Amino acid sequence: MASDAEQVLRLMLGGDVMLGRLVREHIRERGPSYPLGELAPLMQQADLAIVNLECAVTTSRQLWPGAPKAFYFGTLPEAVHTLLGAGVSAVSLANNHTLDFGVSGLLETLHTLRQHDIRCAGAGRDIDEARAPIFVERRGIKFGMVAYCDHQEDFAADVHSPGIAYLDLGDEEAAIGQFRRSLERIREEKADWPILSLHWGPNMVDRPSERFVRLAHAAIDMGYGILFGHSAHVFQGIEIYRGRPIIYAAGDLVDDYYVDPVFRNDHQLLFELELTRSSLKRIRLHPVFIEDCRAVPARGRHLEYIAQRAIALCAEMGTRVEREGDQLLIAASTTSP
């Protein structure tokens, strides 16, 4: 019988889940299982599934009163069952769409998610709540996660104002200082796996900037176990740094976005990390294709494109990806020549 230290747990990480606009209409017409139902059997098998929720869950139609935006993302309250049906039990709300329907939309989102026991990091009724870590324990292994976003500064929570955990990553020294303070709060609760979730950088970018690589390395150096990045709408290469995974950009899991003919952002990945209490054993990459506002397992030419892209981008990070049927595997000790 395996000891607690040897027990392998499966953590599923998905990128941006956008359930507004056309996805919202599909949920209204076809039910909440529509956007992620094809992936649900896979995701439910994980011990813990976390995504970045890229929309408000609210009945409010009152738009954010700040500078006009090109897009506002909000979904129906019943869309919480889209998440639950896919086994999602924790989300990051530190992104540039959480307050698209104002403070009331944010507060309703927080209430609805918490009412259904979905933990929320990265937004809150004040800055302390927005920066507060969330904790989830599975089979004796404890995860702690904080979440930050580097854009939509007017969404930032303040001492007396609801909002997101905004962080200016251009000031690297200050950002690293905040990473450290958050890590201390996670360590106080003796979490085995501290996770830093970052909604960072511009859209449609294949590779992280040198600054983002420095920040990611600094986070791992100080003691974070996983860096979970998103915002680019496409996946980037994965780096295994000091035995810890850096997912610079997880891409999108479901959306209704225009498909760029160059970046082909309907071709995505779902990330499954196999962990023990103290170490990463393996990462399984599950290719995903987004079509008609739903995510489905990629097949045929879609699978081949995703596989080739993932293998090439990871190789640039010194990470070798092995093919096993429809899955792509990264061993924690495996690096490319």
Side-chain angles (χ1 to χ4, degrees):
M1 183 175 178
S3 69
D4 288 344
E6 296 170 332
Q7 181 167 267
V8 177
L9 179 146
R10 296 164 63 190
L11 168 66
M12 197 76 74
L13 297 175
D16 295 358
V17 170
M18 200 293 286
L19 303 176
R21 296 197 311 188
L22 296 178
V23 186
R24 179 178 186 270
E25 296 311 307
H26 279 288
I27 291 171
R28 184 194 301 278
E29 294 171 7
R30 306 187 186 195
S33 66
Y34 179 79
L36 296 176
E38 293 291 321
L39 298 180
L42 171 64
M43 295 179 68
Q44 289 169 355
Q45 291 174 16
D47 295 283
L48 174 62
I50 303 173
V51 302
N52 175 61
L53 183 59
E54 188 86 343
C55 61
V57 181
T58 179
T59 55
S60 173
R61 296 292 91 195
Q62 183 66 47
L63 299 180
W64 175 251
K69 301 175 62 172
F71 308 111
Y72 296 85
F73 299 152
T75 193
L76 306 163
E78 51 262 45
V80 71
H81 294 286
T82 302
L83 302 173
L84 293 171
V88 173
S89 51
V91 299
S92 166
L93 294 178
N95 62 65
N96 55 308
H97 289 287
T98 298
L99 274 89
D100 278 359
F101 289 88
V103 168
S104 63
L106 166 63
L107 296 178
E108 186 179 356
T109 300
L110 291 169
H111 174 75
T112 301
L113 293 172
R114 289 168 178 168
Q115 188 178 40
H116 290 86
D117 200 27
I118 295 177
R119 311 291 172 84
C120 317
R125 289 164 291 194
D126 55 38
I127 192 167
D128 188 62
E129 185 174 278
R131 290 177 174 175
I134 58 170
F135 297 95
V136 182
E137 187 169 329
R138 294 288 187 270
R139 292 200 282 147
I141 298 176
K142 191 171 187 177
F143 295 85
M145 185 176 83
V146 291
Y148 291 97
C149 178
D150 74 342
H151 44 295
Q152 192 82 31
E153 186 175 0
D154 60 338
F155 275 11
D158 207 337
V159 176
H160 303 295
S161 304
I164 66 169
Y166 169 81
L167 192 58
D168 178 7
L169 298 181
D171 186 340
E172 293 184 42
E173 184 178 355
I176 290 170
Q178 185 56 48
F179 293 168
R180 185 170 287 109
R181 286 188 290 275
S182 292
L183 181 60
E184 289 170 0
R185 295 181 70 177
I186 293 174
R187 281 176 166 162
E188 288 173 1
E189 299 297 323
K190 297 180 169 40
D192 302 294
W193 282 95
I195 302 173
L196 177 60
S197 173
L198 294 175
H199 199 71
W200 57 352
N203 297 343
M204 306 302 175
V205 176
D206 277 331
R207 295 162 181 85
S209 66
E210 292 181 4
R211 173 160 53 90
F212 283 10
V213 172
R214 286 195 302 271
L215 289 169
H217 287 185
I220 300 299
D221 286 339
M222 72 177 66
Y224 283 96
I226 299 168
L227 192 139
F228 172 37
H230 31 85
S231 180
H233 298 313
V234 291
F235 65 83
Q236 297 175 356
I238 298 169
E239 182 179 9
I240 307 298
Y241 176 70
R242 300 182 63 180
R244 302 308 194 195
I246 300 176
I247 300 172
Y248 286 99
D252 291 353
L253 190 55
V254 69
D255 60 50
D256 69 347
Y257 302 155
Y258 166 76
V259 178
D260 186 285
V262 174
F263 289 96
R264 300 177 69 178
N265 49 296
D266 50 354
H267 293 71
Q268 301 286 352
L269 287 172
L270 183 60
F271 304 78
E272 181 182 342
L273 282 58
E274 297 179 3
L275 312 165
T276 67
R277 185 186 302 280
S278 60
S279 65
L280 170 72
K281 293 301 183 185
R282 183 165 61 175
I283 301 175
R284 291 180 182 270
L285 305 176
H286 301 280
V288 172
F289 184 63
I290 302 173
E291 59 176 355
D292 198 21
C293 297
R294 65 176 181 164
V296 301
R299 298 285 186 264
R301 70 182 189 280
H302 302 306
L303 170 62
E304 294 305 317
Y305 172 80
I306 294 167
Q308 291 173 22
R309 184 171 182 273
I311 290 168
L313 290 174
C314 286
E316 293 178 12
M317 297 283 180
T319 304
R320 186 166 68 243
V321 179
E322 300 287 351
R323 184 81 176 265
E324 185 180 279
D326 293 350
Q327 296 178 33
L328 308 170
L329 305 177
I330 299 171
S333 60
T334 299
T335 56
S336 60

